Amino acid sequence: MFKTESEFEEHIRKLIFNEIISVSSNFVLLENKDVVDIIICDNSIMQPKLFFIEVKFSTQIKGRIGFGTANGKGFQPEILIKIPQYFNQNMLWIFGKENDVNYYIFTTTQILNFISGNEIELKQNNFQQRLFNQSENKYNDETFLLFIKNWLQITSP
């Protein structure tokens, strides 16, 4: 079980690296993060592509899942306000919570339904905790990896 967002993100990175990147020469996992937490590059010669993952984590002490800066700025609010088609199609929001081993996966379009106050403003923005009640978005390690492989369009050998 995870205690922090850093632990949760590191676990996701290790799963993706060990089970996908290390066995496929077409994919690269970038280490640095400015726009989103995780960027996966599909280096296919015919159609290179980028995939984006934003990792969010809920702890009992914080009681909220924030995004963007305290004054409502940053890449995350901009992506959610403007909904660029590339990010809409190639980005996932993966949520975890303290003392829970599951992953809660949402597309950009889906996560718009869980914004506190129903709109993004020039203030600290948050996601609603009720997103953890969505059983159709809940995955364990095995189903998480199957979901990611399908999303990356990796076919089994």
Side-chain angles (χ1 to χ4, degrees):
M1 288 191 263
F2 313 104
K3 298 287 183 200
T4 67
E5 185 171 307
S6 296
E7 280 181 24
F8 185 58
E9 179 185 332
E10 187 59 32
H11 180 75
I12 290 171
R13 283 181 166 281
K14 283 181 182 175
L15 274 177
I16 290 171
F17 183 81
N18 292 338
E19 301 296 328
I20 296 172
I21 305 300
S22 67
V23 297
S24 174
S25 60
N26 284 345
F27 290 91
V28 175
L29 181 64
L30 298 183
E31 293 295 320
N32 292 299
K33 54 186 200 172
D34 283 329
V35 177
V36 296
D37 292 319
I38 299 172
I39 299 176
I40 301 170
C41 304
D42 179 347
N43 274 341
S44 301
I45 294 171
M46 297 301 287
Q47 191 173 12
K49 194 174 191 179
L50 295 175
F51 295 90
F52 306 96
I53 298 174
E54 185 60 36
V55 177
K56 295 291 178 191
F57 194 77
S58 175
T59 61
Q60 293 174 355
I61 289 176
K62 277 189 179 177
R64 63 176 188 82
I65 310 166
F67 64 94
T69 63
N71 60 358
K73 301 210 179 203
F75 286 114
Q76 298 162 2
E78 188 172 12
I79 288 168
L80 292 171
I81 290 169
K82 295 180 180 177
I83 312 174
Q85 192 58 30
Y86 197 85
F87 279 101
N88 197 34
Q89 290 178 347
N90 300 298
M91 182 171 177
L92 292 177
W93 300 75
I94 301 178
F95 292 79
K97 64 180 178 174
E98 191 174 23
N99 300 318
D100 188 344
V101 297
N102 295 298
Y103 311 85
Y104 300 82
I105 303 174
F106 298 87
T107 64
T108 297
T109 301
Q110 289 173 322
I111 204 57
L112 290 172
N113 295 317
F114 299 97
I115 294 173
S116 293
N118 296 322
E119 66 180 272
I120 300 166
E121 300 177 33
L122 294 177
K123 61 166 182 54
Q124 174 63 53
N125 292 288
N126 298 292
F127 292 109
Q128 299 169 359
Q129 294 282 334
R130 69 181 179 90
L131 66 85
F132 294 113
N133 299 333
Q134 309 305 305
S135 59
E136 66 274 11
N137 297 81
K138 182 178 176 180
Y139 298 86
N140 61 29
D141 278 352
E142 182 181 341
T143 56
F144 169 79
L145 282 167
L146 289 172
F147 183 96
I148 297 298
K149 287 177 182 180
N150 185 53
W151 179 58
L152 296 172
Q153 299 175 351
I154 296 174
T155 53
S156 298

